Amino acid sequence: MGGGVSGLTAAYALARARQAGAPIEEFLIEAKDGLGGVIQTENVNGFLIEAGPDSFLTEKPEAAVLCRELGLGESLLGSNDGERRTYILHRGRLVPLPDGLMLLVPTRIWPVITSSLLPMGAKLSMASEWFMSPPDNPSGDVSVADFVRRHFGSELLDNIADPLLAGVYGGDSASLSARSVLSRFWQMEQKYGSLTRGVLKARGQRRADAKKNSRGTPAPLPPLFTTLKGGLGQLTEALAKNLDCARVFSGRRIESIEIEQVNSKDGYRIRCLGGASFVADAIILAVPAFECSRLLAGLDAALAKSLATINYSSAMTVALAYDAALAGKLPPGFGFLVPQKEKRRLLACTFVHAKFSQRAPAGQALLRCFLGGSRDPGVLELSDEAIIRIVREELETVLKFSATPLFHRVHRWPRAMAQYQVGHEETVTRIQTRLQSHLTLALAGNAYSGIGISDCVRTGRAAAEGVLQKVVR
């Protein structure tokens, strides 16, 4: 159930198993008329518009592996990291993030010392972080805000960490889980105490491993982000093409799931609005956690209750295309982030034409702005005209230009971004424990163990493999 990238990956894995001889009949049900979920790509006059995500992290391999499996290896496209620079809006002007910053951890001292983003007291705090020891009694989960503050102080939290995380999660660092959102740094703290020392040790180990594997010749660093030349819609379209269209049912909103005998065993009756129904031995729920909660309330109230505690924020992307007159006026780099204290409605803006090649006609510019999140959920209720007016006014103030876009696109994504709030790991553990009572139910998607495309691909594959083991004996 669910035709986003998680559900499509699960259905694809099941279809491959059937084609290899597994005695199964898989089918996919999607409430909307089209497939792809938040991944939607549009090509307008040579501009490639991504309505939802525009890339995936290269260091997580699952999405790239799937692309190659689908014959899209030649279409993989890395970000232009030679041009990578990100700005923070600070006191009304754009200030570059210090070089050598790994998310929120400094790996080079001089760029931090010379940056105007942090006062001298904050810089001294960052220097003293090197001497932190591992906690004597590791505590339970804490908020991202508390975690960052105890390592680097409030100024780095407000000026750097908070806008970075708002751009990714659309959430509030005071409620997001450090253990789930910053899991790598959480583990470094337990081992080293200092995140700076932990990051540098990890980087040194990666370089040593790369040198060893390359027989002494340093391998080039991979790009930070990867996408597809024709947009991420290529991925979901390729997945859909590998499914039997007779087994795909879109425009079918599920009303309820009931226990029913199937082949002399407990199975499920899936009822859709309008009267259609399906019978299944096993179900993969690749829909938001709140939808899982609604559908499972009649089967397992405790499981449904745990699923309902996973909150979501809403997102909005606004794409604006410009001619060559603007492109030369933009600062070099990938775009900028906006801290909450700047009191803007923009969360971030990406210079898409700079981040990736083949996203705009030569010499022209494509900007993609982000709004909403937990900071400003009401913006989704505004008209397109009001939103474009707000975006253009704020871009004019920040970037010092008043050019009229060639065209624009506004995309709203209500309740689309799962929020890993403090205690998220315990919530997921409770869900997994309850699922042990339902061996032919599986969950996939961005609500549990990662919000990226590779995470969705991983959970989709794992769900398919799990139900196959239960059903095919």
Side-chain angles (χ1 to χ4, degrees):
M1 301 178 185
V5 68
S6 306
L8 285 169
T9 300
Y12 166 74
L14 293 172
R16 290 289 299 271
R18 172 176 52 79
Q19 292 159 6
I24 61 170
E25 296 288 334
E26 82 290 345
F27 56 93
L28 183 149
I29 307 172
E30 163 58 38
K32 295 180 180 178
D33 290 332
L35 302 176
V38 297
I39 296 179
Q40 302 291 336
T41 303
E42 181 184 11
N43 197 316
V44 184
N45 300 328
F47 290 89
L48 199 69
I49 312 295
E50 296 283 19
D54 70 348
S55 58
F56 48 87
L57 286 172
T58 306
E59 71 175 2
K60 291 189 174 185
E62 293 87 352
V65 168
L66 179 59
C67 287
R68 293 188 180 96
E69 188 177 319
L70 292 165
L72 298 173
E74 294 298 317
S75 291
L76 290 169
L77 177 68
S79 51
N80 298 321
D81 284 8
E83 307 296 324
R84 178 157 55 94
R85 175 177 286 187
T86 301
Y87 300 87
I88 299 287
L89 186 64
H90 181 61
R91 298 176 179 172
R93 65 186 186 91
L94 295 179
V95 178
L97 274 175
D99 289 337
L101 203 67
M102 181 178 172
L103 187 58
L104 53 88
V105 179
T107 61
R108 295 172 58 191
I109 298 300
W110 186 249
V112 173
I113 290 175
T114 57
S115 174
S116 62
L117 281 173
L118 300 170
M120 184 54 66
K123 295 170 184 177
L124 293 174
S125 295
M126 295 180 76
S128 65
E129 198 271 346
W130 177 271
F131 301 100
M132 287 185 68
S133 300
D136 293 328
N137 299 303
S139 59
D141 201 3
V142 298
S143 72
V144 166
D146 287 341
F147 183 79
V148 174
R149 197 179 287 117
R150 78 184 179 208
H151 281 272
F152 301 114
S154 295
E155 289 85 359
L156 186 138
L157 170 67
D158 294 340
N159 295 352
I160 296 176
D162 200 56
L164 280 170
L165 292 167
V168 175
Y169 282 85
D172 179 4
S173 63
S175 62
L176 289 174
S177 159
R179 196 166 186 171
S180 296
V181 172
L182 302 176
S183 57
R184 183 187 302 177
F185 295 134
W186 180 273
Q187 293 163 7
M188 285 180 180
E189 183 188 57
Q190 309 310 305
K191 185 174 182 179
Y192 300 106
S194 166
L195 302 183
T196 307
R197 282 191 285 120
V199 165
L200 290 175
K201 284 182 179 292
R203 176 175 288 184
Q205 185 61 52
R206 284 197 302 273
R207 286 175 175 168
D209 292 343
K211 185 176 181 180
K212 180 180 178 180
N213 294 334
S214 61
R215 299 179 181 178
T217 303
L221 290 175
L224 182 59
F225 303 104
T226 299
T227 188
L228 289 163
K229 292 177 183 177
L232 291 178
Q234 281 187 277
L235 171 58
T236 51
E237 288 169 7
L239 286 168
K241 287 178 181 177
N242 277 272
L243 305 181
D244 183 343
C245 62
R247 303 170 191 271
V248 177
F249 300 88
S250 57
R252 306 288 181 94
R253 177 171 169 77
I254 300 168
E255 188 173 28
S256 65
I257 300 174
E258 305 159 5
I259 296 292
E260 182 168 309
Q261 286 284 304
V262 181
N263 300 324
S264 302
K265 298 180 294 184
D266 279 348
Y268 305 95
R269 170 71 64 176
I270 303 162
R271 299 189 185 278
C272 299
L273 292 177
S277 69
F278 303 83
V279 174
D281 295 286
I283 293 175
I284 296 171
L285 288 158
V287 295
F290 54 84
E291 273 295 295
C292 295
S293 175
R294 178 181 71 84
L295 294 171
L296 297 177
L299 299 183
D300 189 325
L303 175 58
K305 183 177 179 180
S306 292
L307 286 162
T309 63
I310 298 177
N311 293 325
Y312 284 72
S313 69
S314 300
M316 174 184 289
T317 64
V318 180
L320 304 105
Y322 293 91
D323 59 22
L326 170 70
K329 297 179 180 178
L330 295 173
F334 283 7
F336 64 87
L337 302 166
V338 184
Q340 187 169 1
K341 66 180 184 179
E342 293 294 318
K343 300 189 184 305
R344 302 282 180 185
R345 301 196 83 161
L346 282 180
L347 299 177
C349 176
T350 300
F351 305 158
V352 180
H353 60 283
K355 183 177 179 181
F356 291 109
S357 303
Q358 305 176 36
R359 287 309 186 254
Q364 299 188 322
L366 178 62
L367 307 187
R368 203 164 78 118
C369 299
F370 300 83
L371 299 93
S374 60
R375 188 192 302 180
D376 188 13
V379 73
L380 272 75
E381 305 301 321
L382 299 178
S383 67
D384 283 6
E385 292 75 14
I387 290 163
I388 295 302
R389 183 170 61 252
I390 290 168
V391 168
R392 289 189 60 190
E393 288 174 355
E394 296 202 1
L395 288 176
E396 181 176 352
T397 301
V398 174
L399 297 174
K400 315 302 181 189
F401 74 86
S402 58
T404 301
L406 301 173
F407 65 87
H408 63 261
R409 293 290 187 273
V410 177
H411 295 96
R412 296 169 175 80
W413 301 109
R415 299 184 75 184
M417 302 171 72
Q419 299 296 289
Y420 292 5
Q421 296 184 324
V422 174
H424 181 75
E425 281 197 3
E426 288 76 11
T427 298
V428 172
T429 298
R430 287 196 301 273
I431 290 169
Q432 292 172 338
T433 300
R434 292 303 306 173
L435 281 174
Q436 292 174 9
S437 302
H438 307 280
L439 297 181
T440 52
L441 276 180
L443 302 175
N446 70 358
Y448 312 106
S449 60
I451 65 168
I453 293 174
S454 282
D455 300 305
C456 292
V457 169
R458 170 178 49 80
T459 60
R461 281 195 191 272
E465 292 166 1
V467 297
L468 276 171
Q469 290 175 4
K470 305 298 189 304
V471 172
V472 181
R473 293 190 175 95

